Amino acid sequence: MSQQPAPAPDRQPLDEHAAAALRSYADGERAKINVLVSVLEDIASNGYPSPETGVPWEAARDAHLARLADEQPRVA
């Protein structure tokens, strides 16, 4: 007998590859959310960081755009 529950009658099951890819994507998103949660908890516990220790948004934006430009093209 399978260890996975049977899909609900109004849903179509995914093949193993698609399900694994979806779980992998969910794990990555969960990791991003965990980072956000830890930042928010830190702010709640310790207050806002000093502006002198932060990064200007323009620098953060430019660094992010540079990372995006370096990525390999992907097909949707």
Side-chain angles (χ1 to χ4, degrees):
M1 180 171 215
S2 173
Q3 299 215 8
Q4 295 182 353
D10 60 338
R11 295 189 178 205
Q12 295 179 358
L14 297 175
D15 64 48
E16 289 181 32
H17 179 70
L22 190 57
R23 286 186 186 98
S24 176
Y25 177 76
D27 287 342
E29 292 301 305
R30 186 175 292 113
K32 291 178 193 176
I33 294 300
N34 287 339
V35 169
L36 175 61
V37 167
S38 68
V39 168
L40 295 176
E41 287 174 341
D42 179 67
I43 291 171
S45 297
N46 303 310
Y48 288 112
S50 169
E52 293 81 26
T53 63
V55 176
W57 73 268
E58 295 92 346
R61 177 200 60 205
D62 292 344
H64 181 67
L65 291 174
R67 281 192 305 273
L68 290 175
D70 289 340
E71 284 187 9
Q72 296 293 324
R74 297 181 182 173
V75 175

